[in-house]
Amino acid sequence: GVSEVSKARVFKFDDDLPGGGQFYCVETGKHFISADALTKHKKSRMYRRRLQELKEEQYTQGVSDLASGKSKEVLPPAHPELAAKKNRRGAADESTMDQS
């Protein structure tokens, strides 16, 4: 209990915040009036639930897109013959550059 509070960060004193902003819970983002109030909060059900939420994997934009049905389709080229010719020409251009 007390060792957790003593490890807490030191914040600049702010009259507008409860406890002058000195007793802050990083996990829940709340300020408390005293070290005792902070230790009681860290034993509460709400705090434990928040810790569980933080342990869960966060959703990314990619996961959201897949869930909504959006997908990144890789389409075959419309004209494979033209793509093959361009690739052959590009390879020939690179080989002539290497020789010069």
Side-chain angles (χ1 to χ4, degrees):
V2 177
S3 62
E4 291 173 359
V5 174
S6 63
K7 291 180 187 175
R9 294 185 193 164
V10 178
F11 293 98
K12 189 169 68 172
F13 192 83
D14 187 352
D15 282 332
D16 296 332
L17 296 172
Q22 300 302 301
F23 309 103
Y24 180 71
C25 177
V26 176
E27 293 83 6
T28 57
K30 292 186 174 193
H31 290 274
F32 293 92
I33 255 184
S34 66
D36 186 46
L38 179 60
T39 54
K40 284 182 183 176
H41 163 73
K42 290 201 174 204
K43 293 177 183 176
S44 71
R45 181 183 300 157
M46 186 190 81
Y47 177 76
R48 282 186 258 132
R49 283 184 181 165
R50 179 65 181 146
L51 286 181
Q52 290 292 70
E53 288 175 14
L54 290 173
K55 286 179 184 176
E56 290 179 12
E57 184 179 345
Q58 300 296 311
Y59 290 111
T60 62
Q61 186 64 44
V63 172
S64 297
D65 288 345
L66 286 173
S68 67
K70 292 182 182 178
S71 64
K72 294 190 177 187
E73 254 183 292
V74 179
L75 298 174
H79 303 286
E81 314 84 38
L82 293 176
K85 284 181 184 177
K86 282 184 182 179
N87 286 342
R88 276 186 257 140
R89 251 188 286 153
D93 291 343
E94 287 177 11
S95 65
T96 56
M97 286 182 176
D98 291 340
Q99 292 173 357
S100 43

